[in-house]
Amino acid sequence: MNLLKICWKFTLIIILTGIVFVSCDDDSAANNTNNTNNLTNNSNNTNNLNNTNNSNNTNNLNNTNNTNNLNNTNQVGFCEPLAAATGNIITVTPSQAGELRQIVTNAPEGSTIQLEDGFYDMSSGDSTSRIVMSTPGVTLRSASGIRENVILDGNYATDELISIYASDVTVADITLRRAYNHPIHASGSAGNPISGLLIYNVRIEEPGEQAIKINPAEDGWVDFSAVRCSHISLSDEGRPHIRNNCYTGGIDAHKAWGWEITDNYIEGFYCNEGLSEHAIHFWQNCRDTLVERNVINNCARGIGFGLGETVSSRPWEDNPYPDVVNAGHIDGIIRNNFIAASSASLFATSSSFDCGICLEQAHGTVVAHNSVASTQAPFSSIEWRWGDTLVYIYNNLVTHNLRDRGGSSTLDGNTENADSACFASISEADLHIDGECTVNSTTDLENGVCDFDIDGEQNVGEFPGADQ
């Protein structure tokens, strides 16, 4: 049976033999609130296709599924402002930019550093301008809550603008520009794993390498944390500063457990020569990552779990897959994302649009209800690769192909080669259904796998892709 979805300004459902006409109301979307100060870690039991809470959660991270209302492609969701700061509040003005590193270093546990609106010149190199957050529970945020009004600019002279080495750190409501390497870098140290990090409503522009880098030092894992409601971008202004065969990307994590990447807008990660890393990339034996309700626009690679055939693993006490030698990513869910490519400049590069969702040695991962649309053919809209891959790919809507490059997969309810006219605007990464669209029947999913769509509306399973 095929489904035909037609969008009207009013609600009309007519059920005919073998065909369903479903309306979509442009103004309707659930507006439920993210509790972003109390984030609970979400560990996905993807073998049973159920979302389950990890009883070992100590990070105060709370994931809610029905929290998004995507009303334009530059701001994903009605992400609620953080609660007003309490406790020890330290106010900093732009004239104190040269002192900011020391102010943060001296801040006691639980402090909030509030930045007044303005431009902060952070271009004096790492010894003066790199902010090191090594005390637990410290928050760095703007006083106004308007990220565009507080700009920290490294001018490619400071390697890292913010380095995080402690648990329960929050960075929110600011803009970070032109780090030579990483605008934000989170890493534990030997014998000191960290968790409970929150990067929220942050604008990151023109990073020299990956915008947000997450990796351990020895057994200093970086687990159970979140990047939410942020905008990460690379443009023609920043591309000449990318080095090492396009060694850049959006969010890049190694050996990380239980991260949530939600409600972000990521754009422009490609180079004229070389292949950029993904907009969102969790690899080298990451586990239980949740990637949902993100919009990715004109990136050479969209969402990646794993990379390469051989994997450097971290030790897992429960050893979830003892027979798997190379697990690039363990379990996790990728759901309700828009991934779009339309830029002539991207398609003209040496790598073009490589893949929308790329799975390499991903074992136990669920990919459900994503929309991947491009105006020219990618190498793959969704692909899976290598012998230790075991993935479940359900109810996705793509304009081009699903590509089997090895490993094991279960496919059901997907629609390939969807007409570009199905979508409101591929060029604006708005992949809401906005026209006549013929698709395959979907498959039923267990409760908890994908209960809501990208707008927070109930997912009744009638239509593939991120928009119901």
Side-chain angles (χ1 to χ4, degrees), residues 127-250:
S127 62
T128 300
S129 294
R130 181 166 70 106
I131 298 167
V132 178
M133 305 186 75
S134 56
T135 301
V138 171
T139 294
L140 179 68
R141 63 188 291 186
S142 66
S144 65
I146 303 172
R147 64 190 181 194
E148 290 79 10
N149 288 2
V150 174
I151 300 171
L152 282 64
D153 192 340
N155 196 27
Y156 299 113
T158 301
D159 286 352
E160 297 178 3
L161 294 180
I162 299 175
S163 302
I164 301 173
Y165 300 122
S167 292
D168 302 314
V169 162
T170 295
V171 178
D173 304 333
I174 61 176
T175 293
L176 303 173
R177 300 193 75 244
R178 300 192 298 178
Y180 183 75
N181 291 331
H182 312 297
I184 297 177
H185 187 184
S187 179
S189 56
N192 181 39
I194 63 174
S195 61
L197 312 183
L198 175 60
I199 300 167
Y200 190 83
N201 191 37
V202 174
R203 179 83 183 251
I204 301 179
E205 299 174 339
E206 320 304 350
E209 293 187 351
Q210 293 84 8
I212 300 174
K213 183 76 171 183
I214 303 151
N215 66 299
E218 298 183 20
D219 60 349
W221 320 116
V222 188
D223 294 338
F224 302 119
S225 298
V227 180
R228 291 185 173 154
C229 304
S230 295
H231 185 163
I232 304 171
S233 62
L234 178 66
S235 74
D236 288 342
E237 174 190 345
R239 286 192 189 92
H241 296 274
I242 304 302
R243 312 172 305 279
N244 302 323
N245 200 35
C246 200
Y247 184 64
T248 187

Side-chain angles (χ1 to χ4, degrees), residues 271-283:
C271 301
N272 291 331
E273 298 294 333
L275 178 58
S276 170
E277 287 197 50
H278 311 65
I280 300 170
H281 192 199
F282 280 72
W283 60 304

Side-chain angles (χ1 to χ4, degrees), residues 383-445:
E383 66 171 52
W384 53 101
R385 188 180 189 189
W386 307 117
D388 280 325
T389 290
L390 173 65
V391 292
Y392 306 90
I393 300 175
Y394 298 138
N395 300 346
N396 298 282
L397 178 63
V398 305
T399 53
H400 292 86
N401 59 326
L402 307 182
R403 187 183 294 272
D404 183 348
R405 304 181 70 188
S408 300
S409 61
T410 300
L411 311 178
D412 204 354
N414 303 292
T415 294
E416 299 178 75
N417 301 309
D419 194 322
S420 61
C422 292
F423 304 103
S425 176
I426 296 177
S427 64
E428 295 179 359
D430 183 355
L431 304 187
H432 287 93
I433 301 304
D434 189 31
E436 186 174 297
C437 191
T438 302
V439 299
N440 297 328
S441 299
T442 57
T443 188
D444 292 335
L445 302 178

